[in-house]
Amino acid sequence: MKVGAVIITMGNRPEELRALLDSVAKQDGDPVQVVVVGNGSPVPDVPEGVRTVELPENLGIPGGRNVGIEAFGPGGRDVDILLFLDDDGLLARHDTAELCREAFAADPELGIISFRIADPDTGETQRRHVPRLRASDPMRSSRVTTFLGGANAVRTRVFAEVGGLPDAFFYAHEETDLAWRALDAGWMIDYRSDMVLYHPTTAPSRHAVYHRMVARNRVWLARRNLPALLVPVYLGVWLLLTLLRRPSRPALKAWFGGFREGWTTPCGPRRPMRWRTVWRLTRLGRPPVI
């Protein structure tokens, strides 16, 4: 199976990007083809053989990754598997690409693999980086209902069937949108603790737009994908959880601004998942109300 990799960069981490590219080049088996997308910025120097695309403006995370997908042909069809890796990450092992090939070859229903993210100094995995509700044991691999955006592998047939990431999201929840559409089309998602991307421990709230984008995109996610009966339930649960976390007054103000924006702006085409998919998500441990 042919493997490609998409890496988006703002051009501000040249050393980390070079280290990531070196870790991709060291993968066992056939070489991994790589495309680096400069998301509104020039691409730093990269090794020979690495393709680059420089965008005149920042299209956001999903928009940049979609450009990377299309660099491998429509829907990424020139390869069988695409890795999506954060530019400040590092593949911890040399067999990750081979493990992906083996996993997809062994399971025809497998559409997406979510890697384990670990701090390079401590080896610890943050709870939020385990894509399931029961996240206390990051070393346990399992079927899951979503995946981590900067550390994953996707079978390109998934894009051919359900389309790419939602460009308009710009940042936050674009992975869950794709995951729900993939699950509704019959694909499965695995979290694999043995496929590791080293990444420094960070807080998502470091981004200035975090609270607004999280709230807006949460509403868009529900409006686009959930049966009408579940939309108010899902959003009501997340409103309650947000209040229980007691964010600061400015953060809460930004959150409610994004929540309102999610209702008053276009969310893209609505394709509600089947109730069969709702039941599948429930059996996998995460019903689409939380």
Side-chain angles (χ1 to χ4, degrees):
M1 303 181 80
K2 295 180 181 178
V3 180
V6 173
I7 301 165
I8 59 174
T9 183
M10 299 292 291
N12 55 352
R13 295 180 249 204
E15 294 181 5
E16 292 90 339
L17 174 62
R18 188 60 182 249
L20 171 63
L21 292 171
D22 288 346
S23 74
V24 174
K26 292 175 182 177
Q27 292 298 299
D28 299 337
D30 292 339
V32 176
Q33 303 173 44
V34 181
V35 168
V36 177
V37 178
N39 213 354
S41 66
V43 176
D45 290 338
V46 296
E48 186 178 352
V50 173
R51 289 185 286 163
T52 62
V53 179
E54 294 186 352
L55 303 176
E57 61 178 310
N58 183 356
L59 299 182
I61 294 173
R65 287 183 177 143
N66 283 338
V67 168
I69 294 168
E70 295 302 307
F72 289 96
R77 68 185 182 190
D78 294 344
V79 293
D80 304 295
I81 303 164
L82 276 176
L83 312 180
F84 295 88
L85 307 170
D86 276 351
D87 68 342
D88 56 344
L90 183 75
L91 289 174
R93 297 168 42 160
H94 295 176
D95 62 350
T96 301
E98 277 291 272
L99 290 173
C100 287
R101 291 185 181 100
E102 292 170 4
F104 284 118
D107 186 352
E109 292 186 342
L110 182 61
I112 302 171
I113 300 173
S114 188
F115 300 169
R116 180 167 65 89
I117 294 179
D119 185 273
D121 297 321
T122 66
E124 293 182 2
T125 297
Q126 292 180 272
R127 186 181 182 89
R128 70 183 181 90
H129 283 153
V130 183
R132 58 178 179 241
L133 291 178
R134 296 181 179 179
S136 59
D137 182 8
M139 300 307 295
R140 179 173 67 87
S141 299
S142 69
R143 293 281 203 205
V144 289
T145 61
T146 188
F147 63 99
L148 307 174
N152 66 80
V154 181
R155 193 192 296 264
T156 52
R157 281 178 54 201
V158 172
F159 298 126
E161 288 191 21
V162 307
L165 296 154
D167 287 348
F169 278 43
F170 197 84
Y171 164 78
H173 302 318
E174 67 273 4
E175 302 92 354
T176 300
D177 187 89
L178 176 61
W180 282 1
R181 286 183 282 125
L183 288 161
D184 197 48
W187 296 101
M188 300 301 290
I189 306 170
D190 278 356
Y191 166 72
R192 288 282 297 265
S193 64
D194 57 334
M195 301 183 189
V196 181
L197 184 85
Y198 284 146
H199 188 282
T201 298
T202 57
S205 55
R206 71 190 186 279
H207 298 292
V209 298
Y210 171 77
H211 296 286
R212 170 181 157 248
M213 292 290 194
V214 162
R216 184 198 68 179
N217 292 359
R218 182 80 69 184
V219 178
W220 281 358
L221 179 69
R223 289 175 59 198
R224 285 164 56 92
N225 295 288
L226 290 181
L229 287 174
L230 293 185
V231 172
V233 180
Y234 177 80
L235 295 176
V237 168
W238 279 104
L239 172 60
L240 178 61
L241 286 173
T242 299
L243 294 173
L244 289 174
R245 290 168 178 170
R246 303 179 69 179
S248 67
R249 185 179 295 271
L252 194 60
K253 182 179 179 181
W255 193 93
F256 273 110
F259 192 80
R260 182 171 55 254
E261 185 182 349
W263 285 107
T264 58
T265 55
C267 64
R270 173 168 165 75
R271 298 187 181 93
M273 66 178 66
R274 296 167 294 178
W275 285 102
R276 182 192 312 171
T277 306
V278 173
W279 176 237
R280 171 183 279 191
L281 288 162
T282 302
R283 285 190 294 111
L284 289 170
R286 189 156 196 164
V289 295
I290 188 169

